[in-house]
Amino acid sequence: YIESIKTDMRLFDSFTDNISQVKQLQNIMFDMWYYEWDISWNYDDLISPIYNYQIDNWIVVNESSPGAWYFWPKTRASIKSKYLSYLDDLRDTKLDELKLAYEEEQRELEEQKRREELEQKYKELEKYALDIASKKIELIWHLRQWEVSSSVRELQLVLKDLWYFEYQDTAIFWEITKEAVIDYQLDKNIISSKDDIASWIVWPKTLDSIKNDLKLMVLQEKIETEHTYLKEVASVDLSL
């Protein structure tokens, strides 16, 4: 737009009062805040704006001054100089706007790239945490009260990890272990009361919940100790 105006400045060298040049001069005076009406072919609409420009720029001192009201050489040269400066300023402003827009676009692309990298890293850590959690509970299945086995010990260790069991891991499914399982089930809304039919029984629903909590625990610890830069992702996905 700016270059197209700059390449047709013949009206400042030879003004013939034709419709095309009148409209162009009206546009120029409009850009310079001297023309306030609709763009037309009528030169008479330019007389007052030209005089106001002449007064503001000390080309004339009053209505009787030589050249007042007319688009004559001295006025043409002054308007041309002012308008070219206006176009230069406009170009610089547009370039600054384009530069800012480009820089903002680059920032957004960099942020998106970083976000994708973080999300990919988070998925890798999430898989790692899930594998750890799955291994921790793989031996725990259909435990019976008063059972003595390595599976019971694994359950006690897992409950200890989740802060529901604070005693020595005896490998015996006794009352304290049973109460720890019940407390966990109540907190996770797996059962509604200690008298629930599923109370203290370590079946799939309880195991799935334990596995998920272990996964989140391992993931959070991994992020806190080794990948602090992932906290911005974890804060959304883990609701930390």
Side-chain angles (χ1 to χ4, degrees), residues 161-173:
D161 287 341
L162 298 177
W163 300 93
Y164 283 91
F165 190 81
E166 56 185 21
Y167 305 97
Q168 183 179 353
D169 44 294
T170 61
I172 306 171
F173 202 146

Side-chain angles (χ1 to χ4, degrees), residues 33-150:
W33 300 92
Y34 282 97
Y35 189 85
E36 302 175 353
W37 304 277
D38 293 335
I39 303 300
S40 69
W41 56 270
N42 193 347
Y43 177 80
D44 291 342
D45 293 338
L46 282 165
I47 293 176
S48 192
I50 288 173
Y51 177 71
N52 290 333
Y53 176 88
Q54 291 172 325
I55 291 293
D56 288 347
N57 291 274
W58 298 95
I59 297 172
V60 300
V61 295
N62 55 47
E63 298 180 3
S64 302
S65 298
W69 310 96
Y70 293 102
F71 189 54
W72 282 0
K74 188 175 181 179
T75 300
R76 291 203 300 267
S78 177
I79 292 177
K80 179 180 181 180
S81 176
K82 294 276 187 181
Y83 191 59
L84 288 176
S85 295
Y86 160 80
L87 290 179
D88 287 338
D89 291 341
L90 182 60
R91 181 197 62 226
D92 292 341
T93 299
K94 292 295 183 183
L95 289 175
D96 288 341
E97 290 175 354
L98 289 173
K99 181 180 178 181
L100 289 174
Y102 174 78
E103 290 174 349
E104 178 63 25
E105 182 181 8
Q106 292 303 304
R107 278 194 297 271
E108 291 176 358
L109 289 174
E110 286 297 322
E111 289 174 3
Q112 178 63 26
K113 180 181 178 182
R114 175 170 171 76
R115 183 73 181 181
E116 291 172 355
E117 291 173 349
L118 290 175
E119 289 176 350
Q120 179 59 36
K121 187 62 181 177
Y122 177 81
K123 289 178 181 178
E124 293 172 3
L125 291 178
E126 190 175 37
K127 183 180 182 303
Y128 165 83
L130 181 59
D131 290 342
I132 296 294
S134 298
K135 288 179 181 178
K136 280 180 175 286
I137 68 166
E138 64 183 359
L139 297 178
I140 304 172
W141 191 255
H142 291 299
L143 302 178
R144 297 184 301 276
Q145 192 171 11
W146 300 113
E147 177 179 337
V148 180
S149 67
S150 60

